[in-house]
Amino acid sequence: MNDEADGERRIGTREAAALLGVKPATVYAYVSRGQLASRREAVGRGSTFDAREVEELARRSRREAAGRSPAGEPSVRTSLTLIEPDRYYFRGVDAVELASRHRYEEVAEFLWTGTLVPGARFTAPPGPLTAARRVVAALPEHAGPIDMLRVATAAAAVADPLRFDLSPEAVLGSARCLVPTLVGALPTVRTGPRGNGPLARDLWHRLTAREPDGASLHTLDLALALLVDHDLAASTLAVRVAASARAHPYAAVSAGLGALEGPLHGVAGRLAHRMLTEALERGGAAPVVADHLRAGRRVPGLGHRLYRGEDPRATALFARLEALPHAAPALAAAREVVATAAGRRPGLHANVDLALAVLTVSCGMPAEAGETVFAVARTAGWIAHALEEYGERPLRMRPSGHYDGPRPPRPLP
């Protein structure tokens, strides 16, 4: 069936299904998901579709099918981070080199816009910051850092009446306010200088009671910049799904924080911290590694499926930590962990969680400090992915379920 009225070529369900290479029932599934518009015609003629819209959907479907990995995993187009077997890049620039030369805020701006902004500073607005601090203060004493960051994000969202504006300018404005608001909402361990200083300095005073020195602050800033993004980790995929549904940036960040609550993503730094602390207390890493293996647990901080050798983020952090005299014991313990574990598995190398644990242990930070650093750093990357997703077709992150339950019809229970 073809309908040329109003200069628009309309086709029937069967022709649309043929163009899309699907069954007629699937055409209506596209309609229910908002991917295709239909128009009910006169009685007996059924629904018709704009031929150009169907053809465009068919082209997109072919592109997305071609964008799947050999293992059948979905592949999302992104211009943010490229990971190779021995290094990774932000917008085509070596990420380690970029993070080593520029502060976290500058790296975040580059990831968001593709433009380096020397001296970039993030400032928390009084309203959202006050709201975030109030809800964090109301949490039980046993609340962890991710709990605090989640409620702070929700409070900052409610305090921002422009959160539903998804234009790039508005999203960037929200991002530049949200990141410092999250840091400013965390309780302080020691009183530090206030003002428009580097984010790493403000975060430091919420992680440890020790007086910061310049080299330690630069190492914390390097960790933040290295962790800003790392392709489609589980939390980042959650952010893109939320953004695909056109959730505002605060809600998208909340989705990422929710994924970090799982035991398989985000907690490795805490486990590595405890392992290094125990190794220092027992005078060596070998018995600690043995205990992990005896209990059937993986040794934390080792291995990464995306890199052949040592995680380049770990390599960069270890190099910076070597210049800190107070980091020497924890660094030696980490090296012993790697040497002990590699005795049986020669290809096992340190990852960024182990290097981050050396930083947190040597600077007198608690075990959960690594989670805090990771979540704060990755917030900027989540915003970058949300920005990309807002430019894509809405609701494209909607896979089809493969039903394998009992076939209908069945009697009511």
Side-chain angles (χ1 to χ4, degrees), residues 347-370:
L348 210 55
H349 302 279
N351 62 35
V352 71
D353 296 309
L354 188 62
L356 194 58
V358 173
L359 171 64
T360 57
V361 169
S362 62
C363 292
M365 298 176 184
E368 62 269 19

Side-chain angles (χ1 to χ4, degrees), residues 13 21 74 78 84 132 168 179 199 217 256 332-333:
T13 304
T78 176
E84 294 190 338
V179 176
L199 190 91
L217 275 178

Side-chain angles (χ1 to χ4, degrees), residues 197-220:
L199 190 91
R201 186 180 68 186
D202 194 17
L203 181 59
W204 176 279
H205 297 295
R206 299 164 198 283
L207 297 176
T208 178
R210 291 190 184 178
E211 180 69 30
D213 59 88
S216 297
L217 275 178
H218 288 152
T219 305
L220 176 59

Side-chain angles (χ1 to χ4, degrees), residues 77 166 168 240 243 246 385-394 396:
R77 294 186 303 274
L166 302 186
R240 293 199 77 128
R246 295 304 181 257
H385 280 273
L387 277 165
E388 272 200 335
E389 196 59 42
Y390 292 146
E392 295 285 352
R393 173 174 54 83
R396 71 186 183 121

Side-chain angles (χ1 to χ4, degrees), residues 15-399:
E15 187 175 349
L19 282 172
L20 292 166
V22 299
K23 296 178 180 178
T26 306
V27 175
Y28 291 102
Y30 288 139
V31 174
S32 66
R33 296 173 197 161
Q35 295 175 260
L36 199 61
S38 67
R39 188 168 73 197
R40 189 73 180 175
E41 299 297 341
V43 177
R45 297 186 64 192
S47 298
T48 63
F49 306 86
D50 183 340
R52 286 175 298 183
E53 186 179 20
V54 174
E55 290 163 358
E56 175 57 29
L57 177 58
R59 282 193 293 269
R60 287 200 305 266
S61 298
R62 286 193 293 270
R63 285 199 304 267
E64 290 172 7
R68 290 182 175 270
S69 70
E73 299 172 349
S75 177
V76 178
R77 294 186 303 274
T78 176
S79 61
L80 299 175
T81 301
L82 170 67
I83 297 178
E84 294 190 338
D86 58 351
R87 65 185 63 191
Y88 69 120
Y89 303 85
F90 293 152
R91 294 189 179 274
V93 176
D94 187 286
V96 170
E97 186 175 354
L98 184 70
S100 299
R101 297 188 180 189
H102 297 279
R103 288 188 298 100
Y104 167 73
E105 295 93 317
E106 295 170 342
V107 174
E109 287 282 355
F110 179 74
L111 198 66
W112 292 337
T113 67
T115 301
L116 192 66
V117 183
R121 291 281 194 275
F122 298 158
T123 304
L129 180 58
T130 299
R133 283 176 173 168
R134 284 176 178 168
V135 296
V136 168
L139 291 175
E141 289 186 6
H142 62 266
I146 304 301
D147 297 318
M148 298 178 188
L149 293 173
R150 286 173 65 194
V151 299
T153 301
V158 175
D160 182 3
L162 303 179
R163 63 187 180 278
F164 296 105
D165 184 348
L166 302 186
S167 65
E169 297 79 9
V171 173
L172 286 171
S174 297
R176 294 177 183 121
C177 295
L178 176 59
V179 176
T181 295
L182 294 183
V183 174
L186 296 171
T188 55
V189 179
R190 60 170 286 122
T191 303
R194 298 179 179 273
N196 262 356
L199 190 91
R201 186 180 68 186
D202 194 17
L203 181 59
W204 176 279
H205 297 295
R206 299 164 198 283
L207 297 176
T208 178
R210 291 190 184 178
E211 180 69 30
D213 59 88
S216 297
L217 275 178
H218 288 152
T219 305
L220 176 59
D221 186 80
L222 174 64
L224 289 167
L226 290 169
L227 290 167
V228 69
D229 189 46
H230 204 239
D231 197 37
L232 287 180
S235 56
T236 305
L237 181 59
V239 168
R240 293 199 77 128
V241 171
S244 176
R246 295 304 181 257
H248 58 69
Y250 299 90
V253 168
S254 292
L257 290 169
L260 285 188
E261 286 277 65
L264 302 181
H265 181 42
V267 300
R270 179 190 298 225
L271 300 177
H273 178 108
R274 290 174 176 167
M275 177 183 66
L276 290 186
T277 299
E278 186 180 355
L280 291 172
E281 290 172 351
R282 297 174 65 174
V288 179
V289 171
D291 286 349
H292 273 77
L293 297 177
R294 178 183 299 171
R297 300 190 303 265
R298 289 183 57 188
V299 180
L302 299 181
H304 199 294
R305 69 185 186 91
L306 298 179
Y307 297 115
R308 289 179 302 199
E310 187 171 80
D311 185 335
R313 300 168 297 176
T315 304
L317 270 178
F318 283 145
R320 189 70 63 88
L321 287 162
E322 287 173 356
L324 305 181
H326 57 272
L331 192 56
R335 297 297 192 195
E336 188 181 352
V337 166
V338 176
T340 303
R344 292 286 178 88
R345 295 179 58 188
L348 210 55
H349 302 279
N351 62 35
V352 71
D353 296 309
L354 188 62
L356 194 58
V358 173
L359 171 64
T360 57
V361 169
S362 62
C363 292
M365 298 176 184
E368 62 269 19
E371 292 175 57
T372 308
V373 174
F374 181 92
V376 169
R378 193 56 59 87
T379 298
W382 291 337
I383 293 290
H385 280 273
L387 277 165
E388 272 200 335
E389 196 59 42
Y390 292 146
E392 295 285 352
R393 173 174 54 83
L395 294 175
R396 71 186 183 121
M397 301 286 188
R398 202 325 188 158

